[in-house]
Amino acid sequence: MDSAREQGLWKRGVLWLLLLGPLFFASYGFANWFTGQREDVGSLVFAWEPQIPLWPWTIVPYWSIDLLYGLSFLLPACRREMDRHALRLLAAQVICVACFLLWPLRFTFERPPLDGTFGLMFDVLMGFDKPFNQAPSLHITLLVIIWAMFANHIRGLFWRGLLHGWMALIGISVLTTWQHHFIDLPTGALAGFFCLWLLPLQGDTPLKQIRLASDPRRWRLALRYGLGATLCAVLAVKLGGAWLWLFWPAASLALVALNYQLFGAGGFQKQANGRLSPAATTLLAPYLLGAWINSRLWTFRKPAPSQIVEGIDLGRLPAMGDLGGYAALVDLCAELPLQHTPQNYCSLPSLDLVAPDALTCQRAAEAIENLRHKGPVLVCCALGYSRSATAVAAWLLHSGRCQGVDAAVALIRQARPQVVLGPQHLAALQSMVDAQPGLEVAHAG
């Protein structure tokens, strides 16, 4: 575990437990009671689920999440991490209980009487747990959050293997104790990863990044992704069965739509190592797959980067083995992860199909200028046609190699004819120049 820890954190953890514990039993109990009074509670069971065995011994890992819940408050190394962890658990409670009240489902299997210690543990469980609170499984939602906290602090191959094995067993136990139907598991996992995304341990919560988009193009893209999410959700509801998995791409596209409309590039949570956060990767997985395939199809005929000037190349986001010969990388892509990060790396996440603003252009120009002294630099985005081309044009202006926006764009198009730089890109570049009077003169001399 981490050695550098703030002193006295256990007291803060106890206070959080004193708040969350009663809230858990009060809200969960109320949802059980309220749903038990209703006559419109349905169920969602797949035809193969009666084949799931009842393993009484798995009540032990099932119950163990309560112990791990409390122990997880001993792990945070600082006040921020403690509070974010507690707020994640609080968000999980609010989300799941709200779903139980809005869309109640009932567990339909009748568990036979059980004897011995395991039977006693089941009896205690059923004293406060009723078969009404199903999707999303609060047990799975909490498991995702607790698992993430332990994974951040447990070190050593053996202990990490034990951790992941036991956590996976807890996940399986919700089925083998006949506590949940299958639909509750993926929906619970989705809710858990949403809590992780909403309250990251590093960086601001997306709620602090909310800025209503003023660019009409962002609104149009948000609308398209929103329509895609709606279509997937409608198909899932209408077709049922295995088509219910379409709720995953529905959630993925809905989150992308919100990124364009509200959260901006920060909603993709691309980190300093070039990868997206685990939560964003999971939530956005269907979209990420489509975006990666799209990037490869568009660049199929010209996968190699293009040299703009000596030492500065422009291209698509490189795959694992495509970084040979480059000492540094400037990455403008927000939505795709980088599989291998070079030692000299700068990430300036920008939304796809949207022109970077003047500030991003300036930062990109400065990053390229600083990194080019390390050796050959690759400037990239998903295709290497727009965002990264804007960044290279910004550097050409910043360094004085070109005396105007038109000249910079012409030089780039000569080397890479496929680039797409529209009026918004040119306006952003001109705004960068206008914001720094004498820029061209200073660098040209």
Side-chain angles (χ1 to χ4, degrees), residues 45-270:
V45 189
F46 292 101
W48 52 267
E49 289 192 55
Q51 306 302 316
I52 297 175
L54 173 63
W55 293 340
W57 64 270
T58 55
I59 191 64
V60 175
Y62 185 90
W63 264 109
S64 70
I65 196 172
D66 296 316
L67 175 62
L68 296 173
Y69 187 107
L71 292 177
S72 68
F73 284 90
L74 299 176
L75 297 173
C78 63
R79 180 175 298 187
R80 173 192 171 88
E81 187 179 15
M82 176 74 76
D83 292 347
R84 283 291 170 93
H85 177 59
L87 289 172
R88 285 172 169 181
L89 296 171
L90 176 60
Q93 190 74 18
V94 171
I95 291 170
C96 290
V97 169
C99 290
F100 298 156
L101 296 173
L102 293 172
W103 305 289
L105 292 173
R106 181 187 178 93
F107 187 77
T108 60
F109 294 173
E110 290 293 333
R111 189 187 299 113
L114 299 171
D115 299 323
T117 303
F118 300 144
L120 178 60
M121 295 177 73
F122 274 100
D123 291 340
V124 173
L125 176 64
M126 298 315 297
F128 68 90
D129 195 13
K130 305 302 179 185
F132 300 114
N133 302 324
Q134 295 295 299
S137 166
L138 180 57
H139 211 84
I140 295 296
T141 305
L142 296 176
L143 174 64
V144 169
I145 296 170
I146 294 168
W147 194 339
M149 176 53 65
F150 274 88
N152 283 339
H153 291 276
I154 299 300
R155 300 290 180 263
L157 183 61
F158 171 78
W159 292 110
R160 289 185 67 82
L162 182 62
L163 166 71
H164 295 315
W166 188 259
M167 294 293 186
L169 189 58
I170 293 174
I172 295 171
S173 72
V174 303
L175 293 176
T176 56
T177 54
W178 285 13
Q179 281 294 111
H180 283 275
H181 289 305
F182 178 77
I183 191 66
D184 308 341
L185 275 70
T187 52
L190 196 66
F193 281 106
F194 177 76
C195 293
L196 299 185
W197 173 84
L198 187 66
L199 295 156
L201 296 182
Q202 288 83 35
D204 287 333
T205 168
L207 296 179
K208 284 191 175 182
Q209 302 170 14
I210 291 179
R211 300 288 187 277
L212 195 62
S214 58
D215 184 350
R217 185 163 183 79
R218 283 181 59 175
W219 278 93
R220 289 194 295 270
L221 290 165
L223 177 60
R224 293 176 188 176
Y225 284 115
L227 290 174
T230 302
L231 177 60
C232 288
V234 169
L235 288 175
V237 171
K238 292 293 184 182
L239 300 177
W243 291 95
L244 289 171
W245 283 107
L246 284 175
F247 276 118
W248 190 4
S252 178
L253 293 175
L255 182 54
V256 175
L258 289 174
N259 286 344
Y260 275 93
Q261 188 177 23
L262 296 176
F263 303 125
F268 288 97
Q269 295 186 347
K270 193 159 188 175

